[in-house]
Structures are given as structure tokens and as C-alpha cells.
Amino acid sequence: MKYDFKAIEEKWRSHWLKNSTYKASEDSTRPKYYLLEMFPYPSGRIHMGHVRNYTIGDVVARYKRMKGFNVLHPMGWDAFGLPAENAAIKHDTHPAKWTYENIDYMKKQLQRMGFSYDWDRELATCNDKYYRWEQLLFIKMYEKGLVYQKVTTVNWCETCQTVLANEQVIDGACWRCDNAVLPREMNGWFFKITDYAEELLAGCDTLTGWPEKVLTMQRNWIGKSVGAEVNFKIENSEKTLTIFTTRPDTIFGATFMSIAPEHPLALELSAGTPQEEAVKEFVARIKVEKQRQRPEDEMEKEGVFTGGYCLNPFTGTRLPVYVANFVLMEYGTGAVMAVPAHDQRDFEFAKKYGIEIKVVIQPEGEPLDPAAMSEAHEGTGTLVASGEFTGLPSEKAKTAITAAATEKGVGCQRTTFRLRDWGISRQRYWGAPIPMLHCASCGIVPVPEKDLPVSLPTDVQFDKSGKSPLHTLESFYQTTCPLCNGPARRETDTMDTFVESSWYFARYVSPRFTEGVLDKAKADYWLPVDQYIGGVEHAILHLLYSRFFTKVLRDLGYLSIDEPFTNLLTQGMVIKDGTKMSKSKGNVVDPNELVEKYGADTVRLFSLFAAPPERDLEWSDQGVEGAYRFLNRVFRLVDDNLGVFATPNSTLPQEMNAASIALHRKTHQTIRKFGADIEAKFHFNTAISAVMELTNTLYSLAADESGETADPAVIREAIEAMLALLSPMVPHLCAELWELTKHPTPLAEVLWPEYDDEAVREEAITIVVQVKGKVRSQLQVAPGTSDADLEKMALAEDKVQKFLEGKPVRKVIVVPNKLINIVI
């Protein structure tokens, strides 16, 4: 027979969908396993990155089912977002039409790949049946004090008269009209994620199933700092400049102050001084440059003197106050005491502007000379020129100086976080409407729960400026206040699309539930997600926001868990011609073309075999061809051996010949290795290699010149194991061959094969251990034990240690399968 992958894959795809083979339901008799890949944005078609990500997840889901777990493996669509609006403007269509057409197309693509999703749980975040509950969560958070409004700085295009998202600002210009983008202050809605900063940080220590690099990124983003807050009195004023520092031990070395351009004192201190115009110009310029700056860019350190001074509360020294471009208003207090001798950034600034450098921490060894220093000393040491604290170790001085500041009434200990509250307002149409009203009499009023969802109107027109039609659509924004029945204006901002993806994993447990946000009983059964899979590019925001939402849902009584994802796998990228596959690079490989030419199973196998999941996958046309050839070999092997399946229940012979023993051992060694490789780190590539070796062993039986062959029952056992092991990876082919070999139970319902400890054990051989040519011990080892392992085992022997007499080992000579000679 011929391997007709098109007919085979269509047959089993239809069978699984028709029979809802992968539909999940709660079952207290089996352990649950919730497997989830990050859901896609419906951009139009899946790419090879999707194929790899979802294939990895599908293998784990199928494997866990065969291991006896009750598996939940859902799929949906992260469907709101800017590209839909761009498409609407460009193609004169509606974002909803564009989005749902893309969903239909991509769903067919995913189904063609044979992924084992429970499609009954499918959700799209742009459906008001989904975001209705998100709006209710927003209101519950508002009532709990976790939502508030404040003025914030946004990207504003004057030409287009619209706010732009960061991704719409390209080199400081509007992506649409190419004119300059300027900062502008606007009112926006914020989630108070900072209320959970301490718990989010502490939770990182409990996430033992996450990659350490992701946890490090999360910890750094949260950015906890413990230090002191100190008040410096403004000269000739009743006002003070409050700073936060993690190095209170260096306060006697402060020689100037730095404040952020956005700091309210920046313009106030310079008012009426010769510096006023220079400060105004500098502040305006830096605000624009910061809007244009990418996070990874390093700005040249620069500043301008405000003309004002403040006084060091410990010394009374006058310190000039500078506006500096490197000080962030979002961190600490937006003001920093500058100690050039002990902070590299301050050192470079002081050198540039000719400001005094004063040493107050001396390390052990050669004393520091300010005039000779080429860089700041940021380490520890002993305090000098620090008044009553002189002579203290710097770590002890931190506590002592903080306590003194508290006693003097000029400061206190304080903990700060880099984490800022989450601004979720978007002045765009294609997003979930924020369910709040503005009443002239009653102020801000939540939409009553009975009036949810606040649905996006569909009768909207987009103009070429890209401005949201909600702002001018009277039928949407004109409404009635539920408190006073007077006129009210509906909020026209929509939510950041990160909001939808921050709780979708929880909604999957009861996606059709109409009585509330979640079915608590089902949430308690399924959550947390046991294995989450997705790109490392989401390591900070999406994962952090999901953790935040989980804690909020817990505190609102919807969930019983603290963390959303027990284990996290961040897969590598797909690389071609040395760079990531992308349309802009012109190196995209279309999965549709590959599936048409080779079949979904081949594409799945290649994406798993080419590299471990956490590594980048280097695209190879030869690798795809190789995967296809291997599947053809598997098909021919089964076809050639259909005779061994003639007897329905053949049992293994009690007495086996050498060929049977070798094949039986290889089968069980393969089962053991395959399971171990998946359980450990999802190393599917080495697991596949093990099955390839088993396949080669089966083929070699037919070519054995001695004429000795394995018993049919042993061959049958090996083929059954091969198909079962490969089935999570190439499910269509394996399901077809399993049926072809007359098994009454479908492969999707078969349990994972177990290996026999006795069968995998190799016959032991004796290795003689010599010291200086004389036999001193013996080792019983398995054939093929590596030289390195033999050397370790020999040197660890007590008898050998006695004859080494504590002398260093000069050389270890290993004669494979015979002896080890240790030379001292």
C-alpha cells in the first residue's frame, strides 16, 4: 500500500471532530491536567511559529491522556487589537468582519494540523458574551479600589488628532502620516497592580516550574528597592525636595540633586531666575525624546541647572538642583541625591558639568582620591568624612543613618517598587468598552450589572484619520445616569487588549457559563493551568498581568488559587537564513504549502525533531524531507508485517531466541527512554531518535543474513509500542496503522505502554580494575557503559582508594569491556 497522507489525515480529522474525541469534562476519578498554549491573534493565517508552539502543546496533551489524565486542552482567539482597525481603514471593511473571517480561516488551518482541542470551549475575546464578564470584573475591581482615573502622558499626533499606541510611533513619528508625535496629558483609567507588588514578587519564589530567566525578568520588572526617603529643604522656601535612596550611607557625599523633567519643582525652581528659559527648553525637549526613545536605547546623560538649591539635612551644605534626563518620575519620588564618588551615573554627570566629587566610602586597600578617580566606587567600605557615622561599615551605616533621619524628622525607611500601575485606557474602537459613566451631578458611575454588556456598536464609520468613532457617536455615548436619571456620557475609551488575555485561561473552564464570571466548582477542579506554553517575548507583561488577575479573582471570590500557571515552557523561535521568520525578512515558509505537499504529520514531526522546544529551530528543507521519508518507512514497516497481527491476542513466547531477546529489550528500552525524555524537559527530538532506532532494529531483522528472526509476537509488541509512542506526534498516521492492524480499541483511547524493568536490563559484564598494573578490584557493569562513567566508578571503589595511597592519579587507561588501569 501507499502512504496516502491526504486521505488518512482527512479521515481522522473528520472522525475526531464528529465524535468530539477530545471534549473534556470534570471527572473526579482521574487526575486532571490542564494544558494550554498562548492563544493566537487572528491575523489571517497561522505561521510556522504557531505550528511549532501548538504541536509542542498537542504532544503533551495527547501524551498525558495516554498516561491516564483527564486533559483539558482548549483553544480560542485574542481577537481585539490595533491590526483590525488598520485593516478596516485600509480595506474599507469593518474590524469585526475582518476578525471573524480570519478566525474561520485560521481555525480550519489548526484543525488540519490535527490538534486535539476541545473546540466546544472555543472563545473569541471580541464577543460580548466574553467581555461582558470582563466588564463586570472591571466594576468589581472599581468597587474594591483597584481601579482609578488619573492624568497620564500619551503619544499624540496633532495631524491625525488621535492618541497613538507605542507600537504606532516609529522613530518619533506617526506611523500613518509620518509627522512628529508629541507627549500630551490625558485622563486615563488604571489598574492598581502596585497593591500586589509584594505578593507578585514573593510568588516568584514559588514558581519552581518556570524558567529562571523568566522569573528574573519578572523580579526585575517589579523592582523592589529598600532604602530611605529623605527630605532636603529648598533654600529660601518652606518646601522640601523628597528623595529616595538605597544608599543612605553615602548621604554625606551628595554634591548635587537630580530631578526628573516631569517633576513639579523643575519649572518652579527656575521661575524668575536666569535659568528659566534654559530649563523650559530642556524639559520640553527631553519629554519629546523620552516619548521617542525605545526601552533598550541608552540616552546620553545630560541636564541643566535649575538655578535653585536645597540643603543637606545632615550637613546643611547647599546642593545645586539639576533637571536630568536619566531620572524617572515613575521611580521613587522622581528626585535623586547625587553622589558622584559612589554612583557611576552621577560620576559621569559630575565630570561633564564640573561638579564636586566627594569620597565618603573608603574600600580596603589604597585610599580613593577624588582627583584621580576614573570611575565611581559603588561597593562597600568604611565611612569617612561622615560626621558621627565616620568609621562605620557602610552596611551598618545604612541602618544608622536611616534611623537618625527618622529621629530628626527629616526622613524614614521606605520600600519602593519599579512596578507602576497599569494604564488600560485606549482611545481606539476595537476593544472592550470600559463600563463607566460620567454624570455632571453624580460624578463617575459604574454601569449597572443588569445593563451589561456594554457592547461595541457595529454601525460605525471609520475616517482616514484613524480616530475612534466612539468619541463622536452620540447613539453610543449619550445615556442616562442610573443614580439620578439625568443625562450622562458613556466612557468612550476601550480596554488595553492585555486585559482579555489576562484571564482567558480561567474562562475556559466554563466558557458557556451565564450566571457569572466563572463556575467556581469547575474552576476549583481545573485550575491552575498545569502546563503553559508560549513565546518568551511575553515573559513580562502578559505573564505578570495574568498573575495579577489571578490574585484579584481570588480576592473577589471567583478563584481559590494564588498563581495561574504551575509550569511554563517558553519555546524558541523558528529561524531561516539566520534570522527569525517574518514577512518583512521575506523568509516565511507557508505551513499550508507544506501540509499540502507532505502532510500535517510530517510538518509536526519536523518541528519536534529539529530542536529541543526551548531552543531556536533552524529551518531545513532537507529536514522536512527526512521526516517525510521516516513516516513512509513506518508505513511500509507496518504494511510488510501485517501478518504478525493475524492472531488477535498473541502472547510473548516463554523461551526466546537471541533475535527476540534483542528486539524485546530494545522495545522496552525505547519505551523507557521516550517517556523519560518527555517527562524531563519535553525533549521530543531525542525521544523521536529512540523510536527511529527501534524502527531500524525492526528493519534489520528482515535483512539478517543468519536467517534468525524474532518471534511474530515480539515483532507485534515492538510495532505496537512504536505506534503508541509516535501517536502524540504523528496522530493521523498512527491512528490509521493502529486500525489497519485490527486493534478493536481506537488508539486515542489506548493507555501509554509501560516498560518492563527486567526486559530493559542488559546482561552485566565484569570489568577488571588495576592499580599500577595489578588487579585490585572488579566492577559489574552494563555493556556500553561510557569510559567516563567507568573511570568514576573505578576511582570510587574502596579497594582502589586503599591502593592509591592518597597520591594523585596521572592517567586512567580504559580497555572497553575488559579492564581499567589506574596509573599513579
Side-chain angles (χ1 to χ4, degrees), residues 45-105:
R45 59 181 55 216
I46 65 172
H47 51 67
M48 284 309 301
H50 288 130
V51 169
R52 188 185 190 200
N53 185 29
Y54 301 142
T55 300
I56 290 168
D58 194 52
V59 172
V60 179
R62 289 175 178 275
Y63 169 73
K64 289 294 184 179
R65 280 192 193 93
M66 295 179 75
K67 292 290 286 185
F69 287 86
N70 184 27
V71 174
L72 173 60
H73 188 205
M75 175 49 69
W77 311 95
D78 191 9
F80 275 137
L82 189 62
E85 285 189 59
N86 294 348
I89 295 168
K90 184 177 180 180
H91 302 295
D92 194 25
T93 186
H94 194 283
K97 182 175 185 293
W98 184 86
T99 299
Y100 281 110
E101 285 177 353
N102 287 350
I103 286 174
D104 288 343
Y105 187 83

Side-chain angles (χ1 to χ4, degrees), residues 646-672:
T647 306
N649 294 304
S650 59
T651 57
L652 295 174
Q654 292 187 346
E655 298 291 332
M656 295 187 188
N657 60 20
S660 293
I661 292 172
L663 179 58
H664 182 60
R665 179 183 296 127
K666 188 66 174 177
T667 298
H668 286 267
Q669 287 176 338
T670 303
I671 295 171
R672 179 180 65 177

Side-chain angles (χ1 to χ4, degrees), residues 124 176 310 341 363 366 411 457 538 570 628 637 650 722 730 735 774 795:
R176 189 181 291 116
C310 63
E366 187 175 343
H538 301 294
T570 53
Y628 181 63
L637 178 65
S650 59
M722 176 187 70
V730 286
K774 294 184 179 181
L795 292 172

Side-chain angles (χ1 to χ4, degrees), residues 137-207:
L137 282 175
F138 184 101
I139 293 169
K140 296 292 185 185
M141 291 171 69
Y142 177 78
E143 292 170 349
K144 194 175 173 64
L146 292 172
V147 176
Y148 65 94
Q149 262 194 318
K150 75 170 183 180
V151 174
T152 185
T153 303
V154 297
N155 305 309
W156 178 257
C157 176
E158 184 65 27
T159 305
C160 298
Q161 285 290 293
T162 187
V163 172
L164 302 178
N166 289 337
E167 60 266 28
Q168 293 176 294
V169 181
I170 303 171
D171 295 328
C174 173
W175 67 280
R176 189 181 291 116
C177 69
D178 206 32
N179 287 329
V181 173
L182 300 174
R184 181 169 178 173
E185 290 188 339
M186 292 186 69
N187 224 15
W189 291 95
F190 286 79
F191 284 160
K192 214 169 183 185
I193 190 174
T194 52
D195 276 12
Y196 289 85
E198 195 73 67
E199 188 182 353
L200 287 166
L201 183 62
C204 291
D205 295 335
T206 69
L207 297 172

Side-chain angles (χ1 to χ4, degrees), residues 561-582:
I561 59 173
D562 297 322
E563 294 288 348
F565 314 120
T566 302
N567 296 289
L568 173 68
L569 172 66
T570 53
Q571 91 282 356
M573 298 183 295
V574 180
I575 305 294
K576 188 171 187 286
D577 304 326
T579 60
K580 178 184 177 181
M581 273 193 188
S582 67

